[in-house]
Amino acid sequence: MRKSHPVRRAVLAGAATVSGIVLLLSMKPASDPGGAQAAGGQVPPAAAGQAPQGGVNGAVTGDAQQTQYGPVQVRLTMSGGKITQAEAVQAPKGGRSDQITASSVPRLNQAAVAAQNAEIDAVSGATYTSAGYKKSLQSALDKAKAAGGAAQGSGNAQTLTGDVTQTQYGPVQVRVTVAGGKITKAEAVQAPKGGRSDQITSSSVPRLNQAAVAAGNAQIDAVSGATYTSAGYKKSLQSALDKAPAGGGGAAQGSGAGGAQAKTVTGTAAQTQYGPVQVRITVAGGKITKAEAVQAPKGGRSDQITSSSVPRLNQAAVAAGNAQIDAVSGATYTSAGYKQSLQSALDQAGG
């Protein structure tokens, strides 16, 4: 009997292996539900279903952010408190912007869903679009947290973003987290940048953040060498605290034994012939305990008039307890604007 040749045995074994693989593949389902990655920043239904119950459900749209090439605005779809879809409802367009938007936005959408927060990387070649996207995304998340009544780390915490304050060197905007009536975190989501401003911002903002948390209110000292940034920071910080609901810790903290009942209210800016005037008051026990002008005419002779008249108007407001105060001689327009803004603040305070 002839022995089988080794080469022939190897060929037969290989053919049997191939046949077995083909048989196994023919038994595999035609589609793999878990392998379908959703395009455009969507999470597959199975992943979305893993979100904890009790979170925000539905769509929330962030604030539009202006960039050098046009506005960017993000809308999120939430399920159980998790981002299941992200999309840009506004993005730069026209000319080369069309190409950049078409390339970058889908990647930003996917990154937002993957990260579940606004800490996502900028897309190379789309710096401005990425920055605007992240800011609008964060504002959408802030709104979702407020709507859900729960911020990260605490069922009673609340994230509040102040109004943008324009300064001589650029906008300043502050976001705070408030829990148990205290500021637990403060950060500048916008600050002056470019040239020497980068150095000033990097040096001053961390100190302002720490001061806000330590003080628990907007009565913090300006950082030396960063006067404009500090002033803008304090205004935006106060506007964030003003947005906190009554009893939520955003109203005039640190005002003494009666601080829990105190309320800080900022009036509407009143336009005058020489510039806007805006008044902020603290009200406790039905009385004005503090008044200050957060905006007043400036530049040229207005500086002198403002520095002379505003302190007197502040004192008069506290003494009178209402807006029926006398105009300061030589500061007719400033006085009229002050009284108008003061009255709007009292109206908001219920006084």
Side-chain angles (χ1 to χ4, degrees):
M1 183 176 179
R2 294 175 61 187
K3 294 183 180 179
S4 298
H5 197 279
V7 174
R8 186 174 176 225
R9 287 201 303 272
V11 170
L12 291 173
T17 301
V18 171
S19 298
I21 293 172
V22 170
L23 180 60
L24 287 171
L25 290 173
S26 67
M27 296 173 65
K28 187 177 179 180
S31 62
D32 182 2
Q37 282 285 346
Q42 289 184 318
V43 167
Q50 295 171 2
Q53 295 183 0
V56 177
N57 293 290
V60 58
T61 304
D63 296 333
Q65 299 296 323
Q66 296 299 325
T67 76
Q68 186 171 331
Y69 297 100
V72 180
Q73 189 172 29
V74 178
R75 181 169 63 220
L76 303 177
T77 300
M78 312 286 291
S79 177
K82 286 193 172 182
I83 303 171
T84 59
Q85 182 178 1
E87 57 184 322
V89 293
Q90 289 193 73
K93 57 185 178 181
R96 189 160 177 269
S97 291
D98 289 337
Q99 181 183 350
I100 294 173
T101 291
S103 170
S104 63
V105 166
R107 294 163 66 183
L108 292 166
N109 291 338
Q110 291 175 346
V113 174
Q116 292 293 307
N117 57 46
E119 303 304 319
I120 58 177
D121 292 332
V123 174
S124 178
T127 306
Y128 291 101
T129 297
S130 299
Y133 187 101
K134 291 168 68 175
K135 288 179 183 177
S136 184
L137 170 58
Q138 184 61 59
S139 77
L141 290 169
D142 289 346
K143 292 178 181 180
K145 288 177 183 178
Q152 296 176 352
S154 172
N156 297 323
Q158 191 174 32
T159 299
L160 306 160
T161 303
D163 297 333
V164 176
T165 300
Q166 295 297 330
T167 76
Q168 187 171 331
Y169 297 101
V172 179
Q173 187 175 30
V174 178
R175 183 170 63 230
V176 296
T177 301
V178 179
K182 294 183 178 180
I183 301 174
T184 58
K185 182 180 179 182
E187 56 184 323
V189 293
Q190 290 193 68
K193 58 185 178 181
R196 189 160 177 270
S197 290
D198 290 337
Q199 181 182 349
I200 295 173
T201 291
S202 64
S203 170
S204 62
V205 165
R207 294 163 66 182
L208 291 166
N209 292 337
Q210 292 175 344
V213 173
N217 55 46
Q219 306 307 312
I220 57 178
D221 293 332
V223 173
S224 178
T227 306
Y228 291 101
T229 297
S230 299
Y233 186 102
K234 291 168 68 176
K235 287 181 183 177
S236 184
L237 171 59
Q238 184 62 58
S239 75
L241 293 173
D242 289 346
K243 293 177 182 179
Q253 297 180 17
S255 55
Q261 298 176 349
K263 186 176 183 181
T264 298
V265 183
T266 303
T268 304
Q271 296 298 325
T272 76
Q273 186 172 331
Y274 297 100
V277 179
Q278 189 174 27
V279 179
R280 182 169 63 227
I281 58 173
T282 300
V283 179
K287 294 183 178 181
I288 301 175
T289 58
K290 183 178 181 182
E292 56 183 324
V294 292
Q295 288 193 73
K298 58 185 177 180
R301 189 159 177 271
S302 291
D303 290 337
Q304 181 182 349
I305 294 173
T306 291
S307 63
S308 170
S309 62
V310 166
R312 294 163 64 182
L313 290 167
N314 291 337
Q315 293 174 345
V318 173
N322 56 45
Q324 304 308 311
I325 57 178
D326 293 332
V328 174
S329 178
T332 306
Y333 292 102
T334 298
S335 298
Y338 186 102
K339 292 167 67 175
Q340 185 179 333
S341 183
L342 172 58
Q343 185 61 60
S344 76
L346 289 168
D347 291 343
Q348 293 179 51

